Amino acid sequence: MAIWSLVAGILLVGPVALVLAVLALRRIARRRTRGKGMAIAGGVLGVVATLALVAGVTVVALTAVGTRPLPADVGSARDAHAGQLVTGNCVATLPSDGSVDTVRVVPCADPHAAQVVTVYEFSGDAVWPGQRAADARVARSCVLDQSEVDEGVTSVAWSPTEQSWARGDRIGLCLAVVEGGSVTGSFLDDTATVS
């Protein structure tokens, strides 16, 4: 049993190694046999492997939560990664120029500065086109109707950067924005009121 505990620890099957190590140590103490060193080594490897497993599961769970797309209209204000935004999401304030990572998403019934009106998806197997080309492709998907333009609505395109592209980001966002004002409601269902 001590040998199997050590083998399980080496194979990074932490919980199994721990159980076998405890059982082996009890049996060794009762029978006064050899193998205590192997059982302890298996137990130590089991603890290390178990902690690594717990850390790995935690990282995967947090990553999944942090990348899951939001509903089109959230029920309450929350911070979200730009990669979680979908058509319909309303953004409280626009970050200053530069890379966009986290934004405050609010229900569209609340005052907000911008709304995601279209999502541009690059092909999954596309090669990096360069920042200017990526920006231009996303910007071409930003089409506002004349009534929105008359109310002072403009569009802002958020496209992947070379760094985010390398991490698998293939999504560009087009946001309808009211410069120096705010919006309540949604541009998508014509309930938007610009103030």
Side-chain angles (χ1 to χ4, degrees):
M1 215 175 289
I3 293 170
W4 283 112
S5 169
L6 184 59
V7 169
I10 291 170
L11 295 175
L12 302 178
V13 187
V16 173
L18 279 172
V19 169
L20 290 174
V22 169
L23 293 175
L25 287 170
R26 284 185 181 172
R27 183 179 284 180
I28 290 166
R30 258 195 332 262
R31 296 182 181 176
R32 298 181 191 266
T33 58
R34 297 183 324 183
K36 184 175 181 180
M38 279 190 283
I40 291 172
V44 169
L45 289 173
V47 167
V48 170
T50 301
L51 292 174
L53 176 67
V54 168
V57 168
T58 302
V59 167
V60 167
L62 291 175
T63 300
V65 168
T67 58
R68 184 178 44 209
L70 295 174
D73 193 9
V74 298
S76 61
R78 67 177 74 173
D79 290 329
H81 295 284
Q84 293 179 269
L85 299 179
V86 298
T87 302
N89 286 144
C90 294
V91 179
T93 58
L94 287 179
S96 58
D97 288 342
S99 181
V100 178
D101 183 34
T102 303
V103 294
R104 186 77 172 165
V105 180
V106 297
C108 291
D110 294 351
H112 52 275
Q115 181 178 17
V116 178
V117 291
T118 53
V119 174
Y120 180 88
E121 294 187 39
F122 291 87
S123 170
D125 60 353
V127 295
W128 172 241
Q131 194 64 59
R132 281 186 168 189
D135 293 345
R137 287 184 195 173
V138 176
R140 282 194 297 271
S141 73
C142 296
V143 179
L144 301 174
D145 65 33
Q146 191 57 47
S147 65
E148 292 168 341
V149 173
D150 292 343
E151 290 182 337
V153 178
T154 59
S155 62
V156 171
W158 289 349
S159 57
T161 63
E162 188 171 7
Q163 293 79 20
S164 70
W165 186 279
R167 293 189 305 266
D169 180 11
R170 300 292 187 274
I171 302 295
L173 302 173
C174 178
L175 292 89
V177 179
V178 177
E179 295 294 332
S182 66
V183 180
T184 52
S186 172
F187 289 108
L188 301 179
D189 60 10
D190 296 325
T191 61
T193 304
V194 178
S195 58

